[in-house]
Every structure is written in C-alpha cells, then in structure tokens.
Amino acid sequence: MTPLNFAFATAAEIRFGRGQAAKAAPAIAALGRRVLLVTGANAARADWLAEALEGAGCTLSRFAVPREPDVALIEAALLQARQTGAEVVVAIGGGAAVDAGKAIAALVPANRPMMDHLEVVGRGLPLEVPPLPFVAIPTTAGTGAEVTRNAVISVPDARRKVSLRDAKMLPRLAIVDPALTDGCPRSVTLASGLDAITQVIEPYLCTRANPLTDALCRDAIPKGLAALRTLMTGEDAVARDDMAWVSLCGGLALANAGLGVIHGLAGPLGGLSGASHGAICGALLPHGLAANARAVDEPHIAARIAEIRGWIASSLGGDPEGAFETLAIWSRQQGLPGLDAQGVSAEARAQAACDAATSSSMKANPVPLSAKQLGVIMEHAR
C-alpha cells in the first residue's frame, strides 16, 4: 500500500441523521448570537429554523439566494453581513445557498477585495483572516458543499464559474438531515442526485484517489445508483437517507482526492450558459466515463471503470459493457435534458473545450484528454 501523506479535510463537526436539524439551534447559538441566515429562493422554508434560533437567543438577518451565486450577489450579502455585525453565518438550502454562505463567511472579515481570492479570473490569494464560523444545512442531496473547502461563484463579466478556495473555509458545523430532502421535486432530485453520484465516481477514478476516499466511494457509488433509481419511481425515506449519505461522501471524497473531466467541463459550461450544474454533470457523466474508458491504459484504472460498469448494470439493468449507454438512456427517460435543451450553445461547447484545460478538476482526471476528445464528450451529451 502506498504510504499515506495527506490531511483528511472535513467540517469540524458533522451531524448526520433524521431529526438533527431540529436540534441545531443551541449549537449554532454557541458560535455567535448575531446570525446571518442564508436561504434559498423561498426564504419561508427556513422559518422553523429562524424561530428556533431566535428562541435560543440569536438576532437574525436573512439573505435569500435565488440562483447560483455570482459576484454581485455575494457583494450584496457582504454589505448586509457587515452592516448587521454578523458573528456567524448559517446556510440552509441547496448547493447554491451553501456555497453562497461559505463565501460570505470567508469574505466578511477579509481585508482584500473578492477578486484577489478567486481562482482563474482573480489572483487566487489565500485568505489572510480566518472566516466567520459557518454552519451548513443542506436541503438537497447533490453537491456535498457542506464539507468542502471551496465555494463556486459565477463571474458574469468573464463568463466563468470559478472557486473561492481556502482550507480555512471548511464549515465549523455540517448538519445533514435527510428529512430536509423529503419531497424534493423529481427534476431536482434527478439532477442533484446525478451530481452526487458523479462526485463519488470521479474521486474513485482520479489520480489523487487514496484509501480513505476509496472506502467512501466504493460503498457510495452503488448505493447512490440504487437510491436514485428508487426515487425516480416514488418517494422513499430510505432512499432519501441513502442519497444524503452519498452526497456527504462525495463532498468528503472530492475535497480529499479531486474530480475529473465531468466537473472540468461542467464549470466552464455553467458559466457560459447559466445552466444548472447538476443537470450539466448528469448529461456529461456517461460520456465522460466512456471517454476515459477509451483512453485509459493503466490496469488499475481500467479495473475500476469495469467495477463502475458493473454497478450501473446491477442498478439499471443491461450488460456491463453497455452500461454507460444504459445510464445515458435511463437519465433521458427520467427527464434529464441534454445540453442543447439546457441552453448550451455550440459556441459555449467550443469555449468550454479550451477553458477546461485550466480547470482544477481536470488536473486529477485519470487520463489526459485533448480538446477534440472533450468536444466528442459534449457532442454525445447534447
């Protein structure tokens, strides 16, 4: 076994299980009494948490995130947080709300402007001042952002989605309560679920995979495929629990190993088109896997790809050799739109094939892929 030489990054504390969110207020209040509560577009869905926090002695200011966060939205939130003297940031919602909350917590005390800290389009400088305490409470099973050390922010002027990244950005407390995902709309469940599955597949195949992330991914990949298949037929509490666990494992795995070509393309495509990150990942997943399978020449990666083929076939049916096509057909049958229907233009695809080369995710892909090969992946995902 290769000697381990890494620090396993995670939130300072993770609480997983049904009912955990209802018990969160005292732990949050212990971090600070002036709370900025970051929510999704429907802020009323967090009323129960606001009431619990006020009951625990907190003073609240609310900020809604109606879309994937961009520079202007984060700047508006920073102004509000500073004016209200926020001591702790709590985000409850999907990946967009959690990423926004993470960025806000990181930048409220910062001495430098945001662009100094953004990757690719900015200077990528580390944070000089520790972030405010941050608490993440996801309501979808997808990004695993509750345990990662980066926040994805759209920069419209550059037509890119880039990361604000620093080891100090890991949440102080992550509360993963699968009950908060119950009744999530079918289309959101599908797109976010495919993103979660992608985020346990790519770390399993990537060049920085290690025994700890392998342990997480090897269990989570078949669990996620089976749970998502079940949820496409109807509501199921056990499947919701499993998907929340898979999403959490994906966040831990990507933070400690890396991703690959699917996320390497999804970031640029999202910035160029405005399409949903999860839906883009879902559309790209089978074709990115097929491209890696065609290009791979290392036996241990080929063996892992064969395992993934087997898990897909076991969950969705068909022969393992045709598993990636099975996954593509199944996803479309469940209502996942292709890239064309998501508004991804030919111009965006061409630009993404170039931009992906500078993506941090591509650096861990198990095989190098040319711009032409990336173009083939996106062509098949249309």
Side-chain angles (χ1 to χ4, degrees), residues 98-184:
V98 174
D99 267 359
K102 201 185 307 181
I104 295 161
L107 293 172
V108 166
N111 297 322
R112 294 178 177 273
M114 186 190 318
M115 293 300 294
D116 277 1
H117 300 292
L118 294 183
E119 296 179 344
V120 182
V121 300
R123 300 175 65 188
L125 297 176
L127 297 173
E128 297 174 336
V129 182
L132 295 181
F134 175 59
V135 179
I137 309 176
T139 61
T140 60
T143 67
E146 66 274 10
V147 287
T148 61
R149 47 190 163 189
N150 72 298
V152 178
I153 299 171
S154 178
V155 186
D157 289 347
R159 300 184 70 197
R160 292 294 298 265
K161 286 183 181 179
V162 299
S163 279
L164 171 68
R165 189 188 310 272
D166 194 287
K168 295 186 284 292
M169 289 174 60
L170 285 166
R172 187 75 60 87
L173 173 63
I175 300 170
V176 183
D177 187 335
L180 298 181
T181 71
D182 289 347
C184 187

Side-chain angles (χ1 to χ4, degrees), residues 7-152:
F8 195 82
T10 181
E13 181 180 356
I14 302 171
R15 300 184 182 185
F16 182 94
R18 287 181 174 260
Q20 288 297 323
K23 301 182 287 187
I28 295 170
L31 297 174
R33 294 305 177 98
R34 292 195 295 275
V35 176
L36 178 70
L37 182 61
V38 179
T39 69
N42 185 358
R45 294 185 62 189
D47 283 350
W48 63 271
L49 179 59
E51 292 173 4
L53 289 170
E54 289 171 343
C58 295
T59 302
L60 296 185
S61 171
R62 296 202 199 194
F63 187 86
V65 178
R67 60 185 186 277
E68 292 184 359
D70 58 22
V71 170
L73 184 142
I74 299 299
E75 292 286 8
L78 292 174
L79 178 62
Q80 180 175 323
R82 289 164 179 156
Q83 289 177 338
T84 58
E87 299 172 330
V88 59
V89 177
V90 178
I92 178 168
V98 174
D99 267 359
K102 201 185 307 181
I104 295 161
L107 293 172
V108 166
N111 297 322
R112 294 178 177 273
M114 186 190 318
M115 293 300 294
D116 277 1
H117 300 292
L118 294 183
E119 296 179 344
V120 182
V121 300
R123 300 175 65 188
L125 297 176
L127 297 173
E128 297 174 336
V129 182
L132 295 181
F134 175 59
V135 179
I137 309 176
T139 61
T140 60
T143 67
E146 66 274 10
V147 287
T148 61
R149 47 190 163 189
N150 72 298
V152 178

Side-chain angles (χ1 to χ4, degrees), residues 9 12 45 91 95 101 155 212 222 259 304 362:
R45 294 185 62 189
V155 186
L212 286 177
L259 290 163
R304 291 188 176 210
M362 280 296 294

Side-chain angles (χ1 to χ4, degrees), residues 141-378:
T143 67
E146 66 274 10
V147 287
T148 61
R149 47 190 163 189
N150 72 298
V152 178
I153 299 171
S154 178
V155 186
D157 289 347
R159 300 184 70 197
R160 292 294 298 265
K161 286 183 181 179
V162 299
S163 279
L164 171 68
R165 189 188 310 272
D166 194 287
K168 295 186 284 292
M169 289 174 60
L170 285 166
R172 187 75 60 87
L173 173 63
I175 300 170
V176 183
D177 187 335
L180 298 181
T181 71
D182 289 347
C184 187
R186 190 174 185 276
S187 61
V188 176
T189 298
L190 177 62
S192 61
L194 287 169
D195 186 22
I197 290 167
T198 302
Q199 290 181 172
V200 286
I201 288 177
E202 289 200 293
Y204 191 57
L205 296 178
C206 79
T207 59
R208 297 196 290 265
N210 59 69
L212 286 177
T213 59
D214 284 351
L216 291 170
C217 297
R218 194 175 286 116
D219 172 74
I221 296 168
K223 188 186 295 290
L225 288 163
L228 189 57
R229 180 202 61 208
T230 297
L231 289 169
M232 289 300 99
T233 64
E235 192 63 30
D236 185 281
V238 173
R240 290 288 184 192
D241 290 359
D242 285 347
M243 282 308 308
W245 176 252
V246 171
S247 180
L248 174 62
C249 289
L252 291 169
L254 74 88
N256 290 282
L259 290 163
V261 63
I262 293 136
H263 278 81
L265 285 170
L269 286 175
L272 291 161
S273 69
S276 159
H277 174 76
I280 292 175
C281 287
L284 293 172
L285 174 59
H287 310 296
L289 287 171
N292 279 336
R294 287 190 296 268
V296 71
D297 59 5
E298 293 195 25
H300 80 282
I301 298 296
R304 291 188 176 210
I305 290 173
E307 281 184 291
I308 293 166
R309 290 184 191 271
W311 289 325
I312 293 171
S314 178
S315 292
L316 303 182
D319 186 88
E321 283 303 309
F324 301 148
E325 183 178 1
T326 297
L327 175 59
I329 293 170
W330 179 85
S331 299
R332 293 293 181 95
Q333 289 175 338
Q334 304 312 310
L336 184 77
L339 295 183
D340 285 359
Q342 294 181 43
V344 177
S345 66
E347 177 192 3
R349 296 197 307 274
Q351 185 64 46
C354 298
D355 291 347
T358 61
S359 166
S360 59
S361 296
M362 280 296 294
K363 296 174 184 176
N365 198 59
V367 293
L369 295 173
S370 67
K372 182 178 179 180
Q373 289 170 306
L374 297 179
V376 170
I377 292 170
M378 292 183 282

